[in-house]
Amino acid sequence: MLKKIGKRVGNVGKKITRTISKPFKKPSRRPSVFETLPSRSLSPPPTPPPSPSSPPMMSLPKPQMPKARPFLFPTAESTVLPDPSTFFSPSLLSTPLPTNSFFQNFTLKKGDQPEYIHPYLVKSSLSSLTVCYPSRFHNSAFLYQIFVADLTISATNKTSPDSKQSHIISDYTDLSVTLDLPSSNLRFFLVRGSPFLTCWVAGNTPISISTIHAIISFSSNSTLTKYTVKLNNGQTWLIYTSSPINLSNSLSLITSTGYSGVIRIVVLPNSDPGYESILDRFSSCYPTSGQASFTKPFCLEYKWEKKGWGDLLMLAHPLHLKILSGDDCDVTVLENFKYRSIDGDLVGVVGDSWVLKPPQVSVTWHSIKGIHEESYPEIISALCKDVGALDSSAISTTSSYFYGKLIARAARLALIAEEVSYLDVMPAIRKFLKDSIEPWLDGTFNGNGFLYDSKWGGIVTKQGLVDTGADFGFGVYNDHHYHLGYFVYGIAVLAKIDPAWGRRYKAEAYSLMADFMNLGRGSNSIYPRLRCFDLYKLHSWAGGLTEFADGRNQESTSEAVNAYYSAALMGLAYGDTHLVATGSMLTSMEIQGAQTWWHVREEDSLYEEDFTRENRVVGVLWANKRDSGLWFAPPDWKECRLGIQLLPILPISEVLFSDFGFPRELVNWTLPALGRAGVEEGWKGFVYALEAIYDKESALEKIRKLNGYDDGNSLTNLLWWVHSRGNEEEEEYGGMGKYCWFSQYCH
């Protein structure tokens, strides 16, 4: 069927595409490891009921083992968190709620800031919904999509005049959110990647559609189920309805008589009439929600719930198209049916189930290529000095971020000691890790600590309970994967080198990890599903419960990679293959996201020419904006921009910067900035580390002359990195990536 549709679409639009037609059989669902987190104490097993009808010699049924309960940090009431009941339906308040989602602005303050729900900017305000197909402003410093109220949909008369809520979130999933306008009898199915905005109208409600532009042409088909609206800004919008509707228009307003049914609104890309027949063909099938499922290692399946009839048309961004698996799903890609987007062209895909397969990444404790023994003495000399300076009692910071970095820094020393076979320092490292980690897990740390917020469902800090700026906003769910990723890294290493300690603190360890990596959806979860990771964009967000006009944002992709990489390492330490697989897959997708949207190569055409010419890396990436500046530094501090996309330096960093040509471009772009007065030694270290990928000797000479290091880095770690650089690029095998050698034996 899809092959036939693909052919017919090609004939209509002159844009035939590749057809993927192998059916995908979804395996049975495995229970998530995060739905059964380990517990420090278990209730006794239930007594089996008596069975009087059983024969005398019949054995009694085996008692059911109780489900392990997840460890919960002490519960506390925050004075700075917003009230979720303002916008979430009461039926949703009993479960943990998202704090970094694509629709987060709809839950904050007045809920009236726009969100980018591909391909439209959508804004809810005053019991109406405004949709914008955005144009883009750009210069060499930043680019962003411009919100304009192209069309605003509302009820002509409020059906519930006393309602104080502009909207209610009645449902949400990985790929969708449902907004109800309680005073208007309108429900909007906002599904990411749908070219159609779908509205369900109840109660024979008259509706109005207004625009800030002038309507220059307005027409309908003979059945009154399709209207064509041309505006004076050059846009053409199509309105489809599930049953006849009487629409009339004035200069900037369209109104109807009473109506019940489905309305679908879509912009015609570039007002190209060649696309219209494609939209006609798929206008009768609409998605109401969408889920993303981890079906097997390195495999993510999208599945949309749909209504109406016919096949489903959705839009894929560039990373989707890169990893869409042609062997596992039945879809048709319409390569020339495109919508513009700040994330790159969104391309039409026909099919209600996609299978995405990112490159496989092998998570390792130690360097991927290894270190030659002749380099051991220099590393060991630095190692002894760095370990000799470890003193947990001398740590002055109480910040969860900076404290976590110190823990992870020491854990790196342990793994480097293993790799260079110098275990004399292990007792000192083990003691430091125990002394620095345990107070955070036991609740005995002086000045700060982890607590549980039951309002949204997550870990907060003592300082963050009363101050939104404390711990970089950790108390309002900003940067959770950054902070906790460092703790999880340190815990994973300590559990590896001291298994008895690992067993003792396993419940707390899993709880920290699950705060940002829980997969559960149900009421039995204590954390929301994947707090930071965006299953449509395929990378993380860090903004938390703060309203931003440009949506969520993320600065450091490398710290996001560290979070999922550390979770996978924790799985290795505990022998948890499910955690290893999930953490490795999220690591791979975060890397793919960074390489797609943060790394700006000289020959790239994703962003406009002026921005690409002046930037080799994005500073802060927003849902609706790309900024060359950082939260803590201006755009011309290029060493900081490079460093924040590299730290912490780990074995996985080699995969993050696996394109050998790009590090050279990035370093050459950055080096002139090092001549600026006041450049810190710690940032220089990251520049030289990246230089070592292609010029090992030059980088080594510069690193030896450094007199300071980032608080999460060390001379030992820099020397380990340089001495573990290979001199030649490695061959990829079977399309599975250069770091999965076994794939060459799996044909």
Side-chain angles (χ1 to χ4, degrees):
M1 178 62 179
L2 282 175
K3 285 186 178 179
K4 187 175 181 181
I5 289 174
K7 186 174 181 181
R8 286 158 63 192
V9 168
N11 288 338
V12 172
K14 307 293 186 184
K15 292 147 186 170
I16 187 71
T17 65
R18 58 189 171 103
T19 301
I20 304 170
S21 57
K22 184 174 179 180
F24 170 70
K25 184 177 181 181
K26 184 177 179 181
S28 58
R29 180 184 182 273
R30 290 178 56 193
S32 167
V33 67
F34 311 126
E35 295 172 9
T36 55
L37 295 174
S39 173
R40 297 288 284 276
S41 62
L42 298 176
S43 57
T47 304
S51 180
S53 60
S54 301
M57 298 300 294
M58 190 178 201
S59 61
L60 291 173
K62 292 182 179 180
Q64 294 287 322
M65 287 298 293
K67 249 188 177 182
R69 294 173 182 166
F71 173 84
L72 207 61
F73 287 93
T75 301
E77 290 292 328
S78 170
T79 62
V80 297
L81 284 170
D83 181 2
S85 67
T86 304
F87 294 106
F88 283 97
S89 167
S91 63
L92 300 175
L93 296 177
S94 61
T95 59
L97 298 169
T99 58
N100 271 289
S101 75
F102 65 95
F103 60 87
Q104 207 66 57
N105 273 346
F106 297 159
T107 74
L108 302 172
K109 294 188 177 179
K110 295 181 180 180
D112 59 356
Q113 288 296 320
E115 286 284 20
Y116 186 42
I117 301 178
H118 301 67
Y120 303 115
L121 283 170
V122 177
K123 178 178 179 178
S124 172
S125 177
L126 302 175
S127 298
S128 64
L129 195 91
T130 300
V131 59
C132 165
Y133 182 51
S135 59
R136 196 149 73 228
F137 174 86
H138 60 89
N139 58 29
S140 61
F142 55 86
L143 51 96
Y144 62 87
Q145 297 183 136
I146 303 168
F147 178 83
V148 175
D150 289 328
L151 296 178
T152 299
I153 305 98
S154 62
T156 303
N157 302 305
K158 282 192 174 184
T159 56
S160 302
D162 297 331
S163 176
K164 296 180 180 179
Q165 291 178 295
S166 60
H167 64 255
I168 294 174
I169 297 170
S170 58
D171 190 27
Y172 63 88
T173 64
D174 300 326
L175 307 175
S176 67
V177 61
T178 302
L179 288 190
D180 293 347
L181 307 189
S183 63
S184 302
N185 281 345
L186 302 181
R187 166 171 287 183
F188 291 90
F189 301 108
L190 303 179
V191 182
R192 308 178 79 185
S194 174
F196 298 88
L197 178 75
T198 303
C199 175
W200 180 71
V201 185
N204 198 36
T205 301
I207 65 164
S208 67
I209 302 174
S210 62
T211 175
I212 67 165
H213 312 294
I215 300 172
I216 60 175
S217 175
F218 185 81
S219 60
S220 71
N221 64 1
S222 59
T223 59
L224 301 181
T225 56
K226 175 188 174 183
Y227 288 79
T228 302
V229 184
K230 295 184 179 180
L231 306 177
N232 68 343
N233 68 339
Q235 291 179 346
T236 299
W237 292 80
L238 306 175
I239 302 173
Y240 298 90
T241 59
S242 57
S243 58
I245 185 173
N246 287 303
L247 294 178
S248 58
N249 76 291
S250 58
L251 180 63
S252 297
L253 181 65
I254 301 167
T255 58
S256 79
T257 56
Y259 177 76
S260 297
V262 174
I263 297 177
R264 307 199 75 199
I265 301 174
V266 59
V267 72
L268 190 61
N270 303 318
S271 292
D272 186 343
Y275 291 140
E276 188 166 353
S277 59
I278 299 174
L279 294 169
D280 288 348
R281 189 175 307 279
F282 299 108
S283 63
S284 298
C285 179
Y286 62 94
T288 58
S289 65
Q291 296 283 10
S293 301
F294 294 81
T295 53
K296 54 186 176 182
F298 293 97
C299 186
L300 183 69
E301 183 187 7
Y302 289 173
K303 193 165 185 63
W304 289 276
E305 292 295 325
K306 61 180 184 177
K307 292 187 178 181
W309 58 91
D311 294 295
L312 183 64
L313 173 65
M314 300 297 289
L315 300 173
H317 58 57
L319 183 50
H320 284 144
L321 295 173
K322 181 179 178 181
I323 64 175
L324 186 64
S325 175
D327 296 327
D328 296 282
C329 59
D330 185 4
V331 299
T332 301
V333 178
L334 311 180
E335 290 180 342
N336 293 311
F337 181 79
K338 298 177 180 179
Y339 282 71
R340 66 171 180 262
S341 168
I342 195 170
D343 296 314
D345 286 340
L346 305 176
V347 176
V349 177
V350 181
D352 57 17
S353 178
W354 303 356
V355 175
L356 306 173
K357 286 189 171 182
Q360 293 185 13
V361 170
S362 296
V363 168
T364 61
W365 293 105
H366 304 124
S367 64
I368 295 171
K369 296 176 182 176
I371 301 171
H372 293 295
E373 288 190 26
E374 57 265 28
S375 302
Y376 284 10
E378 182 176 22
I379 298 173
I380 291 172
S381 175
L383 177 66
C384 291
K385 292 179 183 177
D386 284 331
V387 172
L390 293 178
D391 181 2
S392 61
S393 65
I395 299 177
S396 59
T397 182
T398 59
S399 160
S400 56
Y401 176 74
F402 291 115
Y403 202 104
K405 288 183 71 175
L406 293 175
I407 289 171
R409 175 186 180 275
R412 289 290 309 129
L413 299 178
L415 294 180
I416 294 169
E418 285 187 341
E419 190 164 355
V420 298
S421 303
Y422 192 77
L423 303 184
D424 293 359
V425 295
M426 294 298 274
I429 300 173
R430 185 185 298 113
K431 181 180 186 304
F432 176 86
L433 290 175
K434 285 183 176 180
D435 292 346
S436 57
I437 293 173
E438 285 181 8
W440 287 83
L441 302 184
D442 291 338
T444 58
F445 182 68
N446 186 28
N448 209 350
F450 293 131
L451 302 168
Y452 181 77
D453 156 52
S454 59
K455 186 182 293 185
W456 289 84
I459 295 174
V460 294
T461 57
K462 290 179 182 178
Q463 294 180 5
L465 282 179
V466 295
D467 181 0
T468 59
D471 296 320
F472 295 103
F474 191 91
V476 289
Y477 293 103
N478 182 58
D479 290 357
H480 267 220
H481 55 328
Y482 295 170
H483 298 221
L484 297 179
Y486 284 118
F487 276 88
V488 170
Y489 185 85
I491 289 169
V493 171
L494 185 51
K496 177 184 187 293
I497 65 177
D498 190 341
W501 184 93
R503 288 191 295 271
R504 180 185 174 194
Y505 285 99
K506 187 175 183 180
E508 291 89 337
Y510 268 75
S511 193
L512 282 181
M513 174 274 301
D515 176 85
F516 64 87
M517 227 181 88
N518 171 56
L519 290 187
R521 292 188 177 97
S523 57
N524 60 330
S525 297
I526 61 173
Y527 301 119
R529 177 171 163 83
L530 290 176
R531 183 182 304 283
C532 301
F533 195 84
D534 185 325
L535 287 164
Y536 180 82
K537 276 299 299 294
L538 305 179
H539 64 72
S540 297
W541 298 114
L545 296 177
T546 302
E547 181 185 62
F548 295 110
D550 290 306
R552 300 306 91 200
N553 70 83
Q554 178 163 268
E555 187 174 56
S556 176
T557 57
S558 50
E559 287 180 297
V561 168
N562 172 65
Y564 306 115
Y565 167 73
S566 298
L569 291 182
M570 199 172 88
L572 289 177
Y574 284 116
D576 187 336
T577 57
H578 191 193
L579 180 53
V580 174
T582 305
S584 299
M585 182 175 175
L586 291 170
T587 299
S588 176
M589 290 192 291
E590 192 76 47
I591 288 171
Q592 291 291 308
Q595 293 174 344
T596 300
W597 289 295
W598 274 263
H599 297 179
V600 184
R601 296 159 186 81
E602 292 176 356
E603 72 280 5
D604 282 355
S605 59
L606 183 69
Y607 302 132
E608 281 77 4
E609 191 275 335
D610 52 357
F611 186 85
T612 300
R613 183 181 63 249
E614 297 298 327
N615 298 280
R616 293 283 71 79
V617 66
V618 173
V620 178
L621 186 142
W622 301 76
N624 195 45
K625 182 181 180 181
R626 305 292 183 265
D627 200 331
S628 60
L630 300 169
W631 285 108
F632 63 93
D636 59 328
W637 291 19
K638 295 179 180 179
E639 75 283 358
C640 295
R641 274 205 268 170
L642 179 151
I644 205 65
Q645 301 301 334
L646 175 59
L647 64 85
I649 298 174
L650 303 162
I652 200 65
S653 305
E654 183 169 333
V655 187
L656 179 59
F657 288 92
S658 57
D659 177 355
F660 274 62
F662 178 64
R664 186 188 299 269
E665 291 182 10
L666 181 53
V667 171
N668 288 339
W669 172 80
T670 305
L671 282 174
L674 300 189
R676 192 184 70 254
V679 175
E680 295 180 10
E681 294 286 280
W683 295 112
K684 291 180 182 179
F686 294 117
V687 179
Y688 303 151
L690 210 57
E691 183 181 13
I693 293 176
Y694 62 89
D695 193 342
K696 182 175 176 179
E697 295 306 318
S698 173
L700 186 59
E701 181 180 355
K702 295 173 183 176
I703 285 171
R704 286 169 175 159
K705 295 177 181 178
L706 289 173
N707 55 31
Y709 313 95
D710 178 72
D711 52 0
N713 203 9
S714 64
L715 177 59
T716 301
N717 198 42
L718 285 169
L719 292 174
W720 161 84
W721 170 261
V722 174
H723 286 303
S724 62
R725 298 306 87 217
N727 295 318
E728 298 179 0
E729 297 186 38
E730 295 187 30
E731 183 181 356
E732 294 195 20
Y733 294 98
M736 303 311 293
K738 66 182 72 171
Y739 304 107
C740 285
W741 273 45
F742 185 59
S743 62
Q744 63 184 303
Y745 301 105
C746 299
H747 298 302

